[in-house]
Structures are given as structure tokens and as C-alpha cells.
Amino acid sequence: MSETRTSAAPAAAAIVRRAGRDWEVVIGLETHVQLATASKMFSGASTAFGAEPNTQACAVDLALPGVLPVANRAAVECAIRFGLAVGADIAPRSVFARKNYFYPDLPKGYQISQYEIPVVAGGGLAIAWEESGEGVERFVRLTRAHLEEDAGKSLHEDFHGFTGIDLNRSGTPLLEIVTEPDMRSAREAVAYARTLHALVVWLGICDGNMQEGSFRCDANVSVRLQGEARLGTRCEIKNLNSFRFLERAIDFEVRRQIDLIDEGGSVVQETRLYDPDLDETRSMRSKEDAHDYRYFPDPDLPPLVITPGWVDAVRAGLPELPQARRDRYISEYSLSSYDANTLTASRGSADYFEAVLAALGPSAGAASAKATANWVMVDLAAALNREAITIEASPVPAAQLATLIRRIEDGTISGKIARELFASLWSEPQAGADAPDRLIESRGLRQISDSGALEKIIDDVLAAHPKSVEEFRSGKDKAFNALVGQVMKASRGKANPQQVNDLLRARLA
Ligand code: ADP
Ligand code: MG
């Protein structure tokens, strides 16, 4: 077992105290990312999800005699995109290998993968999460990322009393991304998985659909006493397809391993499955070692050659990456790192934020950016959450939000009225960037900034509340706020609050 190569000490919260002893948790993740290509890794069959069983498996996927695999150029390009985005090395010449094992959903008797020379090596991901109210930032090193094909699927449910095999998924391109054993808590592992998920979706190499299995994590977990240099024996928990399951499975596994050692036993290296219904992991099989798979280079496939020119072309087509955008939001718009992180958690929300700013025009400064960030992160996010829709499907387009924000800034409406308008635009979507303006006019929501009109309202309010006036004059500041409230109410929220303040003070002086 190797020495720990982790650079940073674990956060205090990552230490597990049990029966007077302090344990350190060690986690490495292997993530299978399904690549968003139209056809399979080594055949021309479609990868579309949800087709009738066995309608999307061609002779190559069925492993009929005499067929030859051909590597999918688009899948290779996805791997290059990923490698460049995480600062890894792209191998100029990598090798496809056969990983041999027997399973009903694998008709060839082997899976084509990469073993000794993967297409992507090294690199890493900066991650951030909150630990008891404080922001923690870490860097998780990647060991490698390799291309491989997926297997088929066994259908156990209701198949005339038999188990059926659906080979639609067999041959689907996957990028398996492997980390160093750098993570120290379930929370940290989830932060890594979320960051990786956002990145592969951002890069457009994966649709990110976890229910459909497009992003699945295997968690390798071990524990050791704090201060111990050697890594403990690990278990691997397979196929975790939600962030919640990932966190719970690791937490359960950590407790299980510590209990086991505490009771005088020892952890056996094995593959385990997480059962969400029982919230526990259980043994699936003893862990194979690499030699059990009898890896060897696939004689049907030439080495995968990636020229520097190809890498440059892919680099030129990369979008601005989340990290770069985050830094730009901080330097260009003076946003806090929390705001910048939140906005860049998905490409959709970052794009929406920028579309609002673009609509506000080049004169929009840091104050407009902050106001926009708040709208996107608070009001819009809450509405999206409530309806469980993505920001791309928002019924209020960026241009309309920009108009709302402009109308607050130029004093036409108050923030409170703006929120009401946003709710209206959300529930009854309308076309055109000027939809907020039309609503302001048709509902007569224009803020009353005409001092003559305001003074009239103020006089009425003062006449109706002599007691508050008296209280204010005898030194009770609270009475002033009460009077402001009455004026706002009398104007049905349309009075300009700052102006009400000024006029009222002058009137009472
Ligand atoms: P395998 O060949 O069995 O898949 P690897 O050496 O490729 O094993 O490691 C798989 C994953 O397990 C990697 O993410 C690695 O960081 C992690 N890992 C290795 N040893 C440990 C350990 N003792 N505790 C936790 N994770 C580990
Ligand atoms: Mg592995």
C-alpha cells in the first residue's frame, strides 16, 4: 500500500473521534462520465436513452464474429477537452486494452478500456464547500482519465420469470476519471463530485443526467488512526448515482470500518453496494486485482494517436472555464467569492447572469452587477427551485429581468414592486424585454416621486396619526418609522421611500 501523497492537512471537522481515538478518513473517487456523443465508442449505433431493449445494438456491440471496432473521434475529442480543462497531460499515443471478465451483459467477454497508457494523465480540480459556516477550499489531484465502453444491462424485473439482457447501453462511450486518495470526508467527496459534474456539463461532454446514469461514482474508502503514514485497507462502493447517496454511503462505510477495527477485526478489501432503502453498504464481491482481468492491448485497435495540432484545435474551441469566469466576476464586477462561486456553479446560471448584464449595457457597474447577482441567486433561484426547472427554461428571460433592475435603478419602481412584477411575469409569461414597462403602466405602479403628490399624502397621514407625531416630537424615533410605513401604505407601496423619508423629516422639523 502506498504512502499518503496528500498535500494538505485534513480540516478539523474531517477527523472522526471514537472511543478516545481520532480517525482520519481517506477517499478516492472513480467517476464514470457518459460522453454526449451521437454514436457509440467503437460502433455507429445510436446512444440515445430510452429506446426499446436491444434496438440500438449493432453487430459490433453484440460482438458477432468478424466485426472490427473503430474508435469514435467525437469521444476522443471529449477526452481532450476534459484533459485541457483540468490542466492534465494529453497522451500523444495511448493504447486501448481488453479488460477480461465474464458477465451476462458483456457478450464479448471483455470490455475495451485503457490500462497502461490512458489518454489523460494528471491535472486536478479546485473545489470549495462549507464546513460549519466556513468556506473550505481544496485541490483534488487527478490520477488519470481513460476512455472505455459501457456494458449492457440485466433486466431482472418482470421478464417472464427470467432475467433479460438489454444491450442498448453496451458500447456507450465513457470517460472514467480517477482521483488520488486526496479527500478526507464525505462532504469533501460530494464537493468534488459536484464540481466535476458541473465541469463536464459546462464543457458539453456529458448531459449530466444522473437518473439516467450519465454520471456515476465509485467511492474508495478507508480509515486510519490520525498520524498513521500508511493508508488503511479500502473498500470500493460501486455505482452511486446521486450526491446524497454518495455522502450517505461514505458516512455509513466510515462508521462500519471504524466499528470493525474497534472490535478487534480488520477491513477486508472488497467491492460493496449501497442500499438506499436500508441506508447501508453490503458486500458484493471480493475485490479483483488488476491481474485478475488479464489486461492486454486490443489487437483490433491501433494506438490512439493525438497530434499537437488536434490538441490545439480543441483548445481553441474551449469555452471560458468556470474557474476563469469566477475570477473574472471577482476582478471585473467586484463580486464576493461566494457570489462568484454560486453564479458559476452551472454554465446556465453564469450565462443568464451575463445576459442580464449585457442587456443593462456597458454603463452597468459593480452596483448593477451585485443587484443582478442577488436577483439570480435569490428570487430567480427560489422560483426555479420551487418549480424544479432549469434556468434555461426560466419563464422570465434575462432581458426582462434587466428591465426590472433598470427600473429600480432609475427610481421608476421600488424593489418591493419589482418583486411583485417578477412574480407576475413568472406566473404569466410575456414576450418582449419591455414587458415590465407595460405592466408598470397598465397597473399604474410608477413610483410617486412628485413631491406635491407626496406632500399631500404626508399631510393626510400626519392628520390621521396625531399620536405618532406627538411621540416623535417627544423623542421616540420608532414613531418616525411608523409614520413612514403609513405613508408607504397610503401610497400603496408606490411612494419613493427615500423621498418620503426626506419630506417627512422636513415636515416634522
Ligand atoms: P483499482 O486498480 O483497484 O481500481 P486504483 O489504484 O486504480 O485501484 O485506485 C482506485 C481508486 O482508489 C483511486 O481513486 C485511488 O485514489 C483510491 N484509493 C487507493 N487506495 C486507497 C485507500 N487506501 N483508501 C482510499 N482510497 C484509495
Ligand atoms: Mg480503477
Side-chain angles (χ1 to χ4, degrees), residues 30 99 144 146 176 178 220 234 236 287 295:
E30 297 167 280
K99 180 179 183 179
R144 58 188 275 157
H146 60 257
E176 179 177 337
V178 184
N220 292 271
R234 76 185 137 122
E236 180 180 23
K287 169 80 186 166
Y295 279 103

Side-chain angles (χ1 to χ4, degrees), residues 78-107:
C78 290
I80 302 174
R81 269 173 102 77
F82 177 76
L84 291 174
V86 297
D89 296 322
I90 312 295
R93 188 178 172 283
S94 62
V95 175
F96 289 110
R98 291 186 180 180
K99 180 179 183 179
N100 299 279
Y101 66 91
F102 283 99
Y103 206 74
D105 62 16
L106 189 73

Side-chain angles (χ1 to χ4, degrees), residues 418-430:
R419 236 164 261 124
E420 288 170 24
L421 284 177
F422 179 82
S424 299
L425 291 166
W426 180 277
S427 53
E428 286 165 57
Q430 309 197 16

Side-chain angles (χ1 to χ4, degrees), residues 132-150:
S132 28
E134 274 190 45
V136 190
E137 294 184 15
R138 279 290 145 72
F139 186 78
V140 176
R141 294 166 303 159
L142 299 181
T143 314
R144 58 188 275 157
H146 60 257
L147 285 164
E148 62 184 28
E149 56 175 349
D150 209 345

Side-chain angles (χ1 to χ4, degrees), residues 178-459:
V178 184
T179 75
E180 293 289 304
D182 277 0
M183 288 156 277
R184 292 294 175 271
S185 69
R187 299 281 294 279
E188 183 172 2
V190 169
Y192 162 81
R194 282 188 188 279
T195 308
L196 181 66
H197 182 265
L199 178 64
V200 294
V201 173
W202 188 293
L203 291 170
I205 65 174
C206 175
D207 67 16
N209 191 326
M210 296 178 79
Q211 274 106 45
E212 292 176 6
S214 297
F215 187 95
R216 333 189 281 261
C217 292
D218 300 344
N220 292 271
V221 180
S222 67
V223 299
R224 63 179 168 187
L225 284 170
Q226 202 188 358
E228 200 43 67
R230 289 169 70 86
L231 293 175
T233 303
R234 76 185 137 122
C235 288
E236 180 180 23
I237 314 159
K238 279 269 180 217
N239 273 332
L240 298 159
N241 69 346
S242 88
F243 297 124
R244 196 162 59 93
F245 292 168
L246 175 64
E247 180 162 3
R248 298 179 75 136
I250 293 173
D251 279 336
F252 174 86
E253 186 56 21
V254 166
R255 278 197 305 275
R256 187 189 72 88
Q257 292 186 11
I258 294 177
D259 286 348
L260 198 60
I261 301 171
D262 258 350
E263 285 159 13
S266 56
V267 176
V268 181
Q269 183 167 330
E270 64 184 352
T271 301
R272 299 179 69 86
L273 268 189
Y274 175 69
D275 181 334
D277 296 328
L278 298 175
D279 191 24
E280 63 176 34
T281 67
R282 57 170 177 269
S283 183
M284 183 164 115
R285 55 170 189 252
S286 69
K287 169 80 186 166
E288 298 84 352
D289 277 319
H291 63 250
D292 294 326
Y293 289 121
R294 297 167 291 123
Y295 279 103
F296 63 90
D298 192 318
D300 287 344
L301 283 156
L304 175 60
V305 173
I306 298 175
T307 62
W310 193 6
V311 174
D312 288 344
V314 174
R315 186 183 282 115
L318 278 183
E320 186 184 20
L321 298 175
Q323 187 72 36
R325 274 215 201 177
R326 181 185 170 276
D327 295 346
R328 189 162 59 76
Y329 290 178
I330 295 171
S331 63
E332 210 169 293
Y333 306 125
S334 310
L335 289 185
S336 69
S337 86
Y338 176 81
D339 289 356
N341 264 332
T342 309
L343 290 169
T344 54
S346 82
R347 191 162 162 189
S349 83
D351 284 348
Y352 190 101
F353 169 72
E354 292 197 30
V356 175
L357 283 187
L360 282 171
S363 61
S368 300
K370 176 63 184 156
T372 304
N374 284 346
W375 275 95
V376 174
M377 293 174 355
V378 183
D379 303 73
L380 178 61
L384 293 170
N385 233 340
R386 200 175 52 235
E387 313 250 322
I389 56 175
T390 64
I391 198 162
E392 286 83 357
S394 167
V396 181
Q400 283 179 6
L401 182 54
T403 304
L404 270 186
I405 292 172
R406 194 180 300 121
R407 292 298 165 253
I408 303 172
E409 288 180 344
D410 67 15
T412 308
I413 52 172
S414 65
K416 186 163 169 283
I417 297 277
R419 236 164 261 124
E420 288 170 24
L421 284 177
F422 179 82
S424 299
L425 291 166
W426 180 277
S427 53
E428 286 165 57
Q430 309 197 16
D434 63 340
D437 285 337
R438 295 197 309 265
L439 281 183
I440 291 169
E441 293 315 320
S442 68
R443 296 189 188 172
L445 293 174
R446 214 168 245 289
Q447 197 159 243
I448 305 172
S449 312
D450 165 12
S451 45
L454 279 181
E455 268 163 1
K456 166 87 178 60
I457 298 175
I458 288 172
D459 284 344

